[in-house]
Structures are given as C-alpha cells and as structure tokens.
Amino acid sequence: VWAGDAFVNLELVRRGYATAYTVPPNVRHADALFQAERAARQAGRGLWASAGVPVRITALNYDAPGADHLDPNGEWVELTNQGDTSVDLSGYTLKDEGSHLYTFGPVVLAPNATLRLYSGRGTDTATELYWGLANDAVWNNDGDTAYLRDAAGAFVDAYSYSP
C-alpha cells in the first residue's frame, strides 16, 4: 500500500505493527520488509516488545520422515521454561509464518521443564501436546519461523530455520 511516496507496508513493519510476509510473485520489496522486521524485533518495537517470560523455543523438527502431511507427528516444536518459576501457558499462541495458529489450553510449564508440541493428533500429556492436524503439515521444509506469544499477544520468542 502506498500513500503518496510513503510505502505504508514497510512503515508498519519498521515500527513493529506488522510482520513481513510475502507471497510469490509479489516479492519485489521482500528484502526491505524482512530487514525492517529484523530491526523492529531487535529493537523490541510494537509487536516485538518482550513479554519478559523465560519460555524459549529450544528445538523444532520441520521435516518428518517421508511426506510431512502423511506423518504430521514427525514435526514438532519444543518449548523450555528457562526460569525459576512455573509459567502458565494458557492462552499462549504458537504461529508459523503462514496461517497455522495453535492456542495453548490449560498447561503449566515447570521451571527447567520442556514440552513438545506435535503437529498431528494424539492425547495431550504434561510434556506432549498435539496441534490436531491430519493430512497437513505446519512447518515448511524450505524455511519458516515459529512465533510464541503470551495470552495478551506480547512477544515471547521466535525460532527461525532454513535448511
């Protein structure tokens, strides 16, 4: 979106009010948008203001054996509480760069504990949660970013990868 000479999309990303997202063939300004997002994230502006929560995305397996959509539980994300007190993850969200969004139910992560969120289906336990997908995959094999936000939408952590 342009308003006169101002590239509104870039300004929103630069100020931290939007994330960079491009869809081919509309990638003309991709580099500028992703650089602006990195700068906003590093500066903690807007959406990137830290929630101050000690939970981190510590691992992500994006490439299930075989076809990802046939084995969604071959994809998973690990979260670790690196703090000294328990963290109630109720209402927290985990999102990819696309449209996949997982909202945590009532789960408490103890200090130094790790939980694994699988993309497929299963029975939730204290250390294993399931997104609930069937014949679908969340994480792109050619690169993606996982975004963790608290129940109020404040930024907690991000984990990017590329093969």
Side-chain angles (χ1 to χ4, degrees), residues 86-103:
S86 295
V87 176
D88 183 354
L89 297 176
S90 302
Y92 277 47
T93 60
L94 186 74
K95 185 180 180 319
D96 68 347
E97 290 178 352
S99 60
H100 294 99
L101 178 71
Y102 177 83
T103 302

Side-chain angles (χ1 to χ4, degrees), residues 44-149:
R45 289 191 295 266
L47 295 167
W48 307 111
S50 175
V53 176
V55 176
R56 296 293 169 260
I57 302 169
T58 50
L60 191 153
N61 188 58
Y62 59 87
D63 192 8
D68 292 356
H69 71 282
L70 297 177
D71 182 16
N73 283 337
E75 292 188 339
W76 47 261
V77 178
E78 281 187 354
L79 304 179
T80 303
N81 179 353
Q82 298 178 342
D84 298 334
T85 59
S86 295
V87 176
D88 183 354
L89 297 176
S90 302
Y92 277 47
T93 60
L94 186 74
K95 185 180 180 319
D96 68 347
E97 290 178 352
S99 60
H100 294 99
L101 178 71
Y102 177 83
T103 302
F104 288 83
V107 61
V108 175
L109 192 56
N112 300 309
T114 296
L115 69 78
R116 188 175 279 188
L117 172 61
Y118 294 92
S119 295
R121 295 180 177 179
T123 302
D124 289 347
T125 69
T127 59
E128 296 180 333
L129 302 175
Y130 295 87
W131 203 300
L133 300 178
N135 299 317
D136 194 8
V138 176
W139 308 109
N140 296 319
N141 291 349
D142 60 350
D144 209 336
T145 302
Y147 299 99
L148 181 65
R149 295 190 175 276

